[in-house]
Amino acid sequence: MAMVIQQQQQQQQRESSSGSINKHQLDNGKYVRYTAEQVEALERVYSECPKPSSLRRQQLIRECPILSNIEPKQIKVWFQNRRCREKQRKEASRLQTVNRKLTAMNKLLMEENDRLQKQVSQLVCENGYMKQQLRTAPATTDASCDSVVTTPQHSLRDANNPAGLLSIAEETLAEFLSKATGTAVDWVQMPGMKPGPDSVGIFAISQSCSGVAARACGLVSLEPTKIAEILKDRPSWFRDCRSLEVFTMFPAGNAGTIELLYTQAYAPTTLAPARDFWTLRYTTTLDNGSLVVCERSLSGSGAGPNPASAAQFVRAEMLPSGCLIRPCDGGGSIIHIVDHLNLEAWSVPEVLRPLYESSKVVAQRMTIAALRYVRQIAQETSGEVVYGLGRQPAVLRTFSQRLSRGFNDAVNGFNDDGWSLMTCDGAEDVIIAVNSTKSLSTASNPTNSLAFLGGILCAKASMLLQNVPPALLVRFLREHRSEWADFNVDAYSAASLKSGSYAYPGMRPTRFTGSQIIMPLGHTIEHEELLEVIRLEGHSLAQEDAFVSRDIHLLQICSGVDENAVGACSELVFAPIDEMFPDDGPLLPSGFRIIPLDSKTPDTPDTLTAHRTLDLTSSLEVGPATNPAAGDSSSCHHTRSVLTIAFQFPFESNLQDNVATMARQYVRSVISSVQRVAMAICPSGLSPTLGPKLSPGSPEALTLAHWICQSYSYHLGAELLRSDSVGGDSVLKNLWQHSDAILCCSLKSMPVFIFANQAGLDMLETTLVALQDITLDKIFDESGRKALCADFAKLMQQGFTYLPAGICMSTMGRHVSYEQAVAWKVLAPEDNAVHCLAFSFINWSFV
């Protein structure tokens, strides 16, 4: 009998040690198991209220007879244990997700490590081979040994039959895979974007290869077919894509397809033409189950649609590019994206060529944007992203796309959209374009449109900025709108969205209180783009409705505010909206875009030339700058960017000239305000009020001004400036304001300009920032170059020469006539060495 009692006690101890929440502990230390009915009743309450109050627990005992034998304290313990178990379950699920992500990321890093090891081995072999060739090869070299990877061009004859297209497709697939996972391209890590468990992916850019290329690798919680569907819809995620048209599609092996595509891409600024592509896209499945979408250009500039429709475009080349999507064991996919382009940089001004020769820009605008968009869709699908104001993610994405697309349309002004330039004298700094066929309408609801008797007018301009961080400037423009915007102009644009008619001039005068309220709508997963509603508070000045609110609402996107993002474009685009803010409301976007231009490496000789470009305007109000710290700062932060401004205004036909005048003046006012802001936010040591120092061995602005005047007097026996203008610091100011165009160029095999006074900048139609990209031979016509070459020996021998009257060219292609030109050597007094050559163009004018 004692043995039976002992066995029962052991059984009770085993049950109590299980720690189940379906037992409750009595005061005597024993555990009693809950019945299934009791657990079900408690679970029902827990689903409604995981943490009931003391009164709610007592009420539960009264309402549920099956719980009457359980004390309130034990009910409280049950809920505590239940919440603890729920927390443990969520944490375990989170850890499993993190573990799957880390496992996939580890696999990705191991593959990247293997690829790098192969690349190192290949380089070692090539190095050994080259050393052997140098020891054994004769003095003559064989050009056929040059290891230059070229992409063969494919004739249109091959593109006219399926067999030829399939052959091109298979070759494209092989070349793309060699870039995505092989060593065909020398990839280097994207600056400022280190891989890690919390990063979007692994990003790399090309080094010393034909064209510009970028690669991205990452883990995405979507199936391969869904990812391929998203990426093939390029206009949805690539903001620079104007259109993508499929001309031909036919099936290929492995359930694949071959398509012939014509793609148009916007130009990012008014200073360059847009690009288009005629490509073959191949979609197929590999033997290991991976899905591949690869693409390349087909040769022939006349290929594709009607050439007349592509007249405003420059045909660019897409080298083998695409995406490799591999399914993961635990769900999701590992994706490799490669973009390899030749953007034909020759077709843009020299100052903009770094923009078209930068792999970092391609990485930010295309490759990284594609991976971020896919991850955004994945998070929205899983419910991880929640937006305010009850808007669905797809609706908010549509708003962002419409704002970006409308701004790009305004900047580019394509003829087939109905845009045309207003007549001007050619010297206008602000371009005015008119679209008489455009109406504010939406494709989803054409009835919700506002058509005008006149149309839409766009005032746009581009300018170069120096030493101004784009992200900082955009943040300032976003947060301090009253510093640059005119509330009455905003009110004029907003009036077009009202149900009643508007007019210009003669609108009701309104006072802007200076207050703006930013209401966030949504953002991307890394906050690189923000979508928000701006409310500008205003009140009428008319006595009869002085208390009537005149608030204005703007829908706005802001992107590129991260100062550490290398190559990222910063934008602030906005459009007036109705206060009801319908999903399909019309939008008329305006705004700013700032694109950084890649600076050259500090080791190149051209960097010294860049630092020798003198910003004389910054020294007009101050004395000589002798602070060496300023020079060091200048060499560290010497950056350039191009700013594009575009503002759109609706008008009625009888008011077109009035609106055009208002728009031109307003944009000029905005440009002036932006320049003032840029000067204020310029990094310490680079502010224009300090007078930037030059590189070691090169004089500062004031010193160079003295050298120019002293050398002129020494060689020609006359004074360049009046005798009362050469003392102290005034020589710099008077040289800057001299009526003749005075320019200085470096003395080397390819002379480039390093200084110009205000008249010289006006004659060349350029800025001090862009001056360093202009070579001496480009400003003379054929006869001028011959005259200069004939007198060059005389110039170097006697120190000066006179050039006859002639014609030179501005950077905008306009002819400039001059009565006479004088050239002389600028000498450094210390060692009497020739520092540069100076030119003075007398009585110049535009032809």
Side-chain angles (χ1 to χ4, degrees):
M1 184 66 181
M3 184 177 297
V4 173
I5 294 175
Q6 186 178 3
Q7 291 176 351
Q8 292 177 350
Q9 290 176 349
Q10 292 175 352
Q11 178 68 20
Q12 290 176 356
Q13 290 177 357
R14 285 194 298 270
E15 292 177 353
S16 63
S17 63
S18 63
S20 172
I21 69 169
N22 293 334
K23 304 173 184 178
H24 65 275
Q25 186 178 17
L26 301 179
D27 292 339
N28 58 7
K30 295 182 179 180
Y31 288 86
V32 177
R33 185 181 295 275
Y34 287 95
T35 65
E37 291 79 6
Q38 290 173 333
V39 172
E40 182 180 357
L42 292 172
E43 288 287 355
R44 283 198 303 269
V45 177
Y46 180 84
S47 62
E48 299 174 359
C49 181
K51 194 175 182 179
S53 63
S54 175
L55 295 177
R56 181 70 180 91
R57 292 194 298 269
Q58 293 177 2
Q59 180 185 2
L60 174 63
I61 295 175
R62 290 194 302 269
E63 294 176 353
C64 297
I66 58 176
L67 299 177
S68 58
N69 62 333
I70 302 178
E71 297 180 2
K73 181 180 179 180
Q74 301 306 319
I75 297 292
K76 178 181 179 181
V77 171
W78 186 93
F79 275 97
Q80 289 176 345
N81 293 339
R82 181 66 177 83
R83 290 194 301 271
C84 182
R85 189 177 69 173
E86 180 69 16
K87 183 178 179 180
Q88 291 175 347
R89 184 189 66 79
K90 291 181 179 179
E91 180 65 13
S93 176
R94 188 188 70 82
L95 291 176
Q96 289 177 356
T97 302
V98 171
N99 183 60
R100 285 196 300 268
K101 181 178 179 180
L102 291 175
T103 300
M105 186 64 69
N106 181 59
K107 181 179 179 181
L108 197 60
L109 290 173
M110 290 177 64
E111 292 176 353
E112 181 69 7
N113 185 52
D114 292 341
R115 188 193 65 80
L116 291 174
Q117 288 181 354
K118 291 179 181 178
Q119 187 172 356
V120 169
S121 300
Q122 180 179 343
L123 291 174
V124 169
C125 293
E126 291 180 358
N127 186 42
Y129 175 77
M130 293 300 295
K131 286 183 177 180
Q132 183 179 2
Q133 290 294 106
L134 289 175
R135 294 193 191 101
T136 61
T140 59
T141 58
D142 184 7
S144 62
C145 295
D146 294 343
S147 58
V148 179
V149 178
T150 59
T151 302
Q153 294 292 323
H154 303 282
S155 66
L156 294 178
R157 176 179 53 81
D158 295 333
N160 289 331
N161 62 86
L165 289 176
L166 183 59
S167 175
I168 297 174
E170 293 294 342
E171 184 178 342
T172 303
L173 174 63
E175 292 189 35
F176 162 69
L177 292 177
S178 68
K179 297 176 184 178
T181 60
T183 59
V185 173
D186 184 11
W187 298 111
V188 296
Q189 181 178 303
M190 180 79 173
M193 305 194 74
K194 295 183 178 180
D198 296 326
S199 64
V200 175
I202 303 172
F203 305 109
I205 56 177
S206 61
Q207 187 179 38
S208 65
C209 79
S210 174
V212 288
R215 189 187 65 158
C217 310
L219 176 66
V220 180
S221 58
L222 291 174
E223 295 303 314
T225 53
K226 179 63 176 177
I227 297 175
E229 177 186 345
I230 294 173
L231 293 180
K232 290 172 76 171
D233 184 17
R234 189 173 292 140
S236 67
W237 57 266
F238 183 33
R239 294 291 174 83
D240 290 343
C241 182
R242 184 194 184 208
S243 63
L244 187 149
E245 187 176 357
V246 179
F247 273 72
T248 306
M249 182 175 66
F250 58 88
N254 292 331
T257 58
I258 293 178
E259 302 164 285
L260 297 185
L261 309 179
Y262 176 66
T263 306
Q264 292 180 345
Y266 291 108
T269 173
T270 60
L271 302 176
R275 299 295 189 266
D276 64 352
F277 300 86
W278 174 242
T279 58
L280 175 145
R281 186 168 67 188
Y282 181 35
T283 305
T284 187
T285 304
L286 303 181
D287 295 337
N288 61 2
S290 299
L291 184 61
V292 177
V293 180
C294 55
E295 189 172 355
R296 84 173 318 147
S297 285
L298 297 174
S299 64
S301 59
N306 184 359
S309 64
Q312 288 185 272
F313 295 85
V314 172
R315 179 61 52 87
E317 180 184 8
M318 179 181 292
L319 289 82
S321 308
C323 60
L324 168 65
I325 312 167
R326 293 183 299 177
C328 296
D329 296 337
S333 307
I334 293 177
I335 179 173
H336 297 254
I337 302 175
V338 172
D339 291 304
H340 194 175
L341 306 172
N342 178 6
L343 296 175
E344 307 295 342
W346 59 266
S347 62
V348 302
E350 287 189 26
V351 69
L352 289 181
R353 290 184 185 176
L355 180 61
Y356 290 80
E357 296 171 344
S358 171
S359 295
K360 299 172 188 175
V361 175
V362 172
Q364 289 285 359
R365 301 290 288 179
M366 289 188 68
T367 318
I368 300 176
L371 186 56
R372 280 175 172 163
Y373 185 80
V374 174
R375 284 176 58 94
Q376 182 81 19
I377 298 295
Q379 291 198 3
E380 292 174 359
T381 303
S382 63
E384 298 179 36
V385 181
V386 178
Y387 294 117
L389 299 185
R391 302 284 178 174
Q392 294 296 322
V395 175
L396 297 182
R397 283 201 309 274
T398 301
F399 277 132
S400 298
Q401 292 165 1
R402 288 175 57 197
L403 283 173
S404 181
R405 184 178 184 85
F407 182 72
N408 278 323
D409 283 334
V411 169
N412 286 262
F414 293 114
N415 294 335
D416 56 359
D417 281 342
W419 289 99
S420 60
L421 295 180
M422 291 187 65
T423 57
C424 62
D425 59 4
E428 291 291 346
D429 52 345
V430 178
I431 301 172
I432 303 295
V434 178
N435 193 332
S436 301
T437 63
K438 188 173 183 179
S439 63
L440 297 179
S441 62
T442 59
S444 59
N445 188 4
T447 60
N448 186 12
S449 63
L450 297 173
F452 303 99
L453 298 178
I456 306 298
L457 183 145
C458 177
K460 51 191 176 181
S462 294
M463 58 184 290
L464 290 170
L465 301 176
Q466 185 174 16
N467 299 326
V468 179
L472 186 59
L473 179 56
V474 162
R475 285 208 306 269
F476 187 93
L477 296 175
R478 170 178 176 259
E479 297 169 3
H480 303 278
R481 187 180 182 89
S482 60
E483 293 293 328
W484 58 267
D486 187 330
F487 183 84
N488 288 313
V489 175
D490 289 329
Y492 167 75
S493 299
S496 63
L497 299 174
K498 304 298 181 181
S499 57
S501 62
Y502 67 93
Y504 176 87
M507 293 187 305
R508 292 171 180 256
T510 305
R511 177 178 60 87
F512 178 41
T513 64
S515 174
Q516 69 173 29
I517 300 176
I518 300 177
M519 297 174 284
L521 282 179
H523 56 78
T524 49
I525 55 178
E526 290 188 317
H527 293 260
E528 70 274 3
E529 182 177 278
L530 309 173
L531 179 66
E532 52 204 11
V533 172
I534 311 298
R535 190 179 77 190
L536 306 176
E537 297 182 344
H539 296 282
S540 175
L541 295 180
Q543 185 175 3
E544 62 272 13
D545 53 358
F547 298 101
V548 177
S549 172
R550 297 290 181 186
D551 292 353
I552 296 173
H553 295 81
L554 305 173
L555 181 65
Q556 177 173 279
I557 55 172
C558 180
S559 61
V561 294
D562 182 7
E563 295 184 47
N564 298 320
V566 179
C569 168
S570 300
E571 289 184 342
L572 185 70
V573 180
F574 49 87
I577 56 173
D578 187 84
E579 58 188 33
M580 300 304 295
F581 190 20
D583 290 348
D584 56 353
L587 298 176
L588 194 63
S590 303
F592 308 86
R593 172 180 292 149
I594 311 173
I595 309 175
L597 300 175
D598 256 0
S599 58
K600 298 174 182 177
T601 59
D603 297 331
T604 60
D606 290 344
T607 304
L608 296 180
T609 303
H611 290 168
R612 292 191 183 113
T613 303
L614 304 183
D615 188 358
L616 292 187
T617 56
S618 64
S619 304
L620 296 182
E621 306 298 333
V622 297
T626 57
N627 181 10
D632 298 339
S633 178
S634 177
S635 62
C636 295
H637 298 278
H638 189 85
T639 58
R640 295 186 300 168
S641 54
V642 57
L643 166 66
T644 298
I645 303 175
F647 283 81
Q648 297 190 79
F649 305 92
F651 67 90
E652 293 180 355
S653 56
N654 60 325
L655 298 173
Q656 176 176 331
D657 292 338
N658 291 340
V659 175
T661 301
M662 178 270 291
R664 182 180 289 108
Q665 293 176 350
Y666 181 58
V667 170
R668 285 175 177 167
S669 169
V670 171
I671 290 175
S672 177
S673 300
V674 170
Q675 289 175 333
R676 185 179 67 253
V677 170
M679 291 166 57
I681 67 177
C682 197
S684 176
L686 295 176
S687 174
T689 60
L690 298 180
K693 289 283 288 183
L694 304 174
S695 59
S698 181
E700 58 181 329
L702 180 61
T703 304
L704 180 59
H706 279 288
W707 289 3
I708 293 172
C709 296
Q710 292 170 1
S711 299
Y712 184 90
S713 176
Y714 173 78
H715 292 300
L716 284 84
E719 296 297 333
L720 181 62
L721 304 176
R722 298 193 312 270
S723 58
D724 58 346
S725 304
V726 295
D729 301 340
S730 61
V731 61
L732 176 58
K733 184 173 183 180
N734 286 280
L735 183 67
W736 176 256
Q737 296 175 347
H738 200 284
S739 59
D740 295 336
I742 301 174
L743 304 97
C744 293
C745 69
S746 59
L747 189 61
K748 55 183 183 180
S749 58
M750 184 62 71
V752 295
F753 287 105
I754 61 173
F755 160 70
N757 66 349
Q758 183 62 64
L761 297 179
D762 293 341
M763 185 184 77
L764 295 182
E765 294 186 293
T766 187
T767 64
L768 283 169
V769 180
L771 188 67
Q772 64 188 33
D773 296 308
I774 304 174
T775 57
L776 178 61
D777 64 302
K778 288 190 176 180
I779 72 168
F780 289 103
D781 60 4
E782 188 63 28
S783 60
R785 283 192 290 268
K786 289 181 179 179
L788 179 62
C789 291
D791 291 340
F792 187 77
K794 181 180 178 182
L795 169 63
M796 299 306 295
Q797 182 176 2
Q798 70 177 21
F800 73 97
T801 186
Y802 290 96
L803 301 177
I807 300 292
C808 61
M809 301 285 291
S810 75
T811 58
M812 305 302 292
R814 292 208 293 168
H815 292 81
V816 181
S817 66
Y818 56 90
E819 292 184 3
Q820 190 183 48
V822 183
W824 69 97
K825 295 190 295 186
V826 177
L827 304 177
E830 291 83 359
D831 51 4
N832 210 32
V834 180
H835 176 68
C836 61
L837 298 179
F839 292 85
S840 176
F841 294 88
I842 302 170
N843 293 335
W844 65 272
S845 61
F846 289 106
V847 178

